[in-house]
Amino acid sequence: GQADFRVVGPGHPLRVTVGQDIVLPCHLSPAMDAQRWDIRWIRHRVSETVHRYRNGEHVFWEQLEEYAGRTELARDGLSRGTLDLRISGLRPSDDGPYVCTVTDGASYGEALVYLEVTAPFFHDARPWMSGLGAFLALSIGLLGLGASLWRRKELLLSRKLGESFWPLYPGKS
């Protein structure tokens, strides 16, 4: 039916590093008491329940196994329409879209929250940054190899000519 409320997400992707905890924000507008409503956080398809709260109780038997013991919907915010979901110990597989769904019996609403889980140390790196870093590392390596080969060439040439451009024994010619 036509909802008397809107379900609101952050409107932008959330970026977090593997191993950290995250709160996926979601709330009702206007703010209203959702303590007795059916609140469900899902992934990809309706059958993939990340967390469900219905009529004042957490419904853990519907939860995907990989989220067991890692999710929490704080009850204290429900009276103000806050539907935030906390996920602990993020894994690379947690990356992707989440949908916060709300049903009050007659009305339904949902909001999309997109989570980007990144690797440690490079969590702010864009693909072009990684490419530039690889290019710079390769360039420095090639410069070092070139300098080493140039020095070797000079040593061989100095021995061949009998000159001492690169003295092997300081103080002797």
Side-chain angles (χ1 to χ4, degrees), residues 14-107:
L14 304 174
R15 180 173 290 162
V16 69
T17 304
V18 168
Q20 292 184 331
D21 298 349
I22 184 80
V23 174
L24 304 181
C26 185
H27 69 274
L28 297 174
S29 178
M32 54 183 66
D33 188 353
Q35 292 181 82
R36 295 283 170 210
W37 292 8
D38 190 357
I39 301 156
R40 181 186 245 174
W41 281 87
I42 59 174
R43 296 280 318 260
H44 311 294
R45 295 183 300 270
V46 175
S47 62
E48 295 184 336
T49 300
V50 174
H51 194 97
R52 188 169 188 187
Y53 179 87
R54 183 179 61 212
N55 295 324
E57 300 292 328
H58 296 280
V59 183
F60 292 111
W61 61 269
E62 290 184 15
Q63 187 175 46
L64 289 168
E65 187 177 324
E66 61 259 32
Y67 291 97
R70 297 193 311 127
T71 63
E72 178 186 0
L73 185 76
R75 289 184 185 203
D76 58 348
L78 292 174
S79 62
R80 297 182 311 279
T82 301
L83 316 170
D84 298 352
L85 179 72
R86 179 182 185 84
I87 304 175
S88 302
L90 285 170
R91 303 170 182 171
S93 61
D94 294 332
D95 186 85
Y98 290 77
V99 181
C100 173
T101 68
V102 180
T103 306
D104 72 352
S107 300

Side-chain angles (χ1 to χ4, degrees), residues 106-153:
S107 300
Y108 172 85
E110 65 181 39
L112 178 68
V113 179
Y114 196 86
L115 179 61
E116 293 178 4
V117 180
T118 60
F121 308 114
F122 299 105
H123 65 278
D124 288 332
R126 302 278 193 276
W128 69 268
M129 291 177 179
S130 299
L132 179 61
F135 172 77
L136 290 174
L138 181 62
S139 298
I140 291 169
L142 288 175
L143 283 173
L145 178 63
S148 175
L149 291 173
W150 182 263
R151 181 170 182 200
R152 185 178 175 110
K153 176 185 162 199

